[in-house]
């Protein structure tokens, strides 16, 4: 476990193949960050009572039931012929983060560790960041009206400690460390999982060439991203803003030129 000074860009590698759905990460996240209780209602979605990420759910463990065996697993009998795909989701801390682009107050900022953090005392509650996130991670807290999301335990990083969720994970499904090192580790793990028979396994969010420049929290999945409620090809939602503003500028110049021409003729 990492208990030393943190430097450079860090991140999470979540290996869903060894997640047991214990929700210890959810509890640890809430306890350390004082995240409010977000409802204990039964959703009817397997053992999932939090449903998704939001202002009051910074870690979310999904339970996906499928009627198929896993890898070389022997098929079950009748109603027992199914598998659970469990995965702990979190903010992706994107390389190209649209939430940063649209925040008008500077409440959202990039830390020295490459993570993206909300300063709740600066947030004005405009909510621009909520639709800007391509993963639907960030939300507004009903009690205060400000935005909130995972900080990757920014305060713990400054003290040389790993985030609470990774610290408490009993199977090491959530791994924390240097991002480049994690990517190399993930490639090796993917080969192992495929050799074990899980041929549909793939990495998600690890590629710096994707639509968000790679994420600071990436995953080893055992099925398509859509199965886990993840977008198959995420794109930073502000990528077209420069060209949009250029078009606005051209239109404005055209309008001014037209008005000037009309005024000149009226003389």
């Amino acid at each position: 476990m990492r208990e030393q000074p943190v430097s450079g860009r860090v991140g999470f590698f979540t290996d869903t193949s060894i997640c047991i759905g214990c929700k210890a990460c959810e509890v640890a996240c809430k306890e350390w960050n004082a995240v409010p209780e977000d409802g204990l209602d039964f959703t009817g979605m397997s053992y999932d009572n939090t449903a998704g990420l939001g202002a009051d759910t910074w870690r979310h463990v999904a339970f996906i039931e499928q009627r198929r065996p896993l890898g070389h697993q022997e098929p079950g009998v009748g109603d027992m012929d199914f598998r659970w795909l469990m995965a702990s989701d979190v903010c992706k801390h994107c390389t190209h983060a649209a939430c940063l682009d649209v925040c008008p107050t500077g409440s959202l900022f990039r830390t020295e560790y490459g993570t993206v953090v909300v300063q709740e005392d600066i947030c004005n509650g405009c909510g621009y960041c909520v639709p800007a996130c391509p993963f639907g991670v960030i939300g507004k807290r009903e009690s205060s009206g400000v935005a909130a999301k995972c900080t990757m335990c920014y305060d713990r990083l400054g003290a040389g400690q790993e985030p609470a969720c990774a610290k408490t994970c009993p199977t090491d499904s959530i791994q924390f460390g240097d991002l480049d090192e994690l990517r190399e580790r993930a490639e090796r793990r993917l080969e192992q999982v495929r050799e074990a028979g899980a041929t549909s396994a793939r990495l998600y969010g690890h590629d710096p060439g994707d639509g968000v420049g790679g994420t600071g929290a990436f995953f080893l999945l055992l099925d398509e991203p859509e199965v886990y409620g993840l977008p198959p090809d995420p794109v930073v939602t502000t990528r077209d803003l420069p060209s949009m503003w250029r078009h606005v500028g051209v239109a404005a110049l055209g309008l001014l030129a037209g008005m000037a021409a009309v005024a000149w003729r009226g003389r």
Side-chain angles (χ1 to χ4, degrees):
M1 291 296 183
R2 188 182 188 118
E3 295 291 345
Q4 58 187 14
V6 179
S7 62
R9 188 174 185 190
V10 296
F12 288 129
F13 164 46
T14 301
D15 181 355
T16 68
S17 69
I18 53 176
C19 176
I20 60 175
C22 66
K23 290 181 177 280
C25 55
E26 285 192 18
V27 176
C29 175
K30 281 186 174 293
E31 286 188 347
W32 182 264
N33 295 290
V35 178
E37 183 266 320
D38 53 353
L40 300 174
D41 300 326
F42 181 66
T43 64
M45 297 168 60
S46 189
Y47 290 101
D48 185 358
N49 69 310
T50 47
L53 295 171
D56 295 333
T57 306
W58 296 1
R59 269 279 177 188
H60 167 244
V61 178
F63 290 76
I64 299 119
E65 298 180 26
Q66 293 183 325
R67 287 190 170 276
R68 55 189 287 195
L70 178 61
H72 293 313
Q73 207 175 55
E74 290 294 327
V77 179
D79 292 339
M80 296 303 293
D81 189 8
F82 72 93
R83 67 176 182 175
W84 268 328
L85 300 182
M86 302 169 186
S88 180
D89 197 9
V90 71
C91 172
K92 312 307 180 290
H93 297 274
C94 304
T95 300
H96 305 311
C99 57
L100 281 176
D101 294 337
V102 301
C103 181
T105 66
S107 169
L108 280 147
F109 75 102
R110 178 86 60 185
T111 73
E112 64 270 35
Y113 308 114
T115 58
V116 179
V117 173
V118 180
Q119 300 173 93
E120 295 184 20
D121 58 329
I122 300 178
C123 177
N124 65 0
C126 68
Y128 294 165
C129 56
V130 177
C133 176
F135 299 98
V137 165
I138 198 165
K140 286 178 64 178
R141 190 162 284 164
E142 291 185 8
S143 59
S144 61
V146 302
K149 71 170 194 69
C150 164
T151 66
M152 207 178 283
C153 288
Y154 184 44
D155 54 342
R156 291 177 64 91
L157 299 188
Q161 299 178 320
E162 64 182 332
C165 56
K167 180 71 174 177
T168 199
C169 181
T171 64
D172 216 17
S173 170
I174 302 172
Q175 300 175 37
F176 168 78
D178 176 82
L179 190 56
D180 290 333
E181 180 185 332
L182 287 177
R183 285 171 175 162
E184 294 175 3
R185 188 186 308 173
E187 292 285 357
R188 294 193 297 270
R189 176 59 181 163
L190 178 62
E191 292 180 9
Q192 294 174 351
V193 172
R194 284 178 172 172
E195 288 174 0
T199 55
S200 61
R202 83 258 345 258
L203 295 178
Y204 179 84
H206 72 299
D207 183 9
D210 66 16
V212 294
T215 60
F218 64 99
F219 306 80
L220 188 155
L221 305 178
L222 297 176
D223 210 326
E224 300 282 348
E226 299 94 321
V227 171
Y228 296 85
L230 296 168
D233 187 21
V235 174
V236 60
T237 53
T238 54
R239 68 174 182 178
D240 296 326
L241 279 181
S243 63
M244 290 170 63
W245 282 116
R246 282 196 296 270
H247 285 101
V248 169
V250 171
L253 288 174
L255 180 60
L256 289 174
M259 292 173 64
V262 170
W264 178 262
R265 289 177 182 176
R267 285 188 172 185

